[in-house]
Amino acid sequence: MAIAIYPGSFDPITLGHLDIIDRSSRLFEKVIVAVLSNQNKQPLFSVEKRVEQIARSTNKLSNVEVDSFSGLTVDYAKLRNAEFLIRGLRVLSDFEKELQMAHTNKTLWQGIETVFLATSTEYSFLSSSVVKEIARFGGAIDHLVPKNVAEDLEKLYKK
Ligand code: PNS
């Protein structure tokens, strides 16, 4: 079975991520969206909350699972019998970091293949950081994130 991991911070998930998940779910038999639990970063949402946000946004995609992991992505991929890593490419500047990551992962485990999907043009400007900045200043984010995430952000910044 062709299993793919889509790893990331997803703090929070955006419509750009969702577009990649949706398209990946047609390419692979199973897609595991894996939220990195990174002790060094100060996320806006807890790992548990991010997993819940993604699960709610993807509940109509029957071959998509949401999980969290810590440590190396390739170790998690091995654990889940996944041979593919999915990463979205928005603009040229993403490419350098992403290619370095793909090569690094390959040196860590020869069995992994990174598959890059070009982000849909309508989301090529979008990032979780942009969403957080707009939300912090009370701007409209409904066109950028799933409905449940927009509600979570509104609640957070209304306090
Ligand atoms: O959404 P992000 O923050 O761009 O995702 C980055 C992520 C989680 C894919 C990357 O940082 C990662 O794989 N971290 C786990 C540690 C690891 O495996 N490092 C080696 C590859 S460079």
Side-chain angles (χ1 to χ4, degrees), residues 93-112:
S93 52
D94 281 344
F95 185 74
E96 200 171 321
K97 178 179 145 253
E98 292 298 333
L99 190 66
Q100 184 187 36
M101 203 149 68
H103 285 320
T104 307
N105 283 329
K106 193 79 178 169
T107 66
L108 294 171
W109 181 35
Q110 282 291 311
I112 201 77

Side-chain angles (χ1 to χ4, degrees), residues 6-11 17 34-36 38 41 69-75 85-87 90 97-98 100-102 104-105 108 128:
Y6 181 31
S9 307
F10 305 107
D11 187 37
H17 294 128
V35 180
L36 176 70
N38 188 343
K41 273 193 184 176
F69 75 104
S70 52
L72 292 175
T73 298
V74 288
D75 287 342
L85 289 183
I86 301 161
R87 296 290 290 170
R90 290 167 299 189
K97 178 179 145 253
E98 292 298 333
Q100 184 187 36
M101 203 149 68
T104 307
N105 283 329
L108 294 171
S128 301

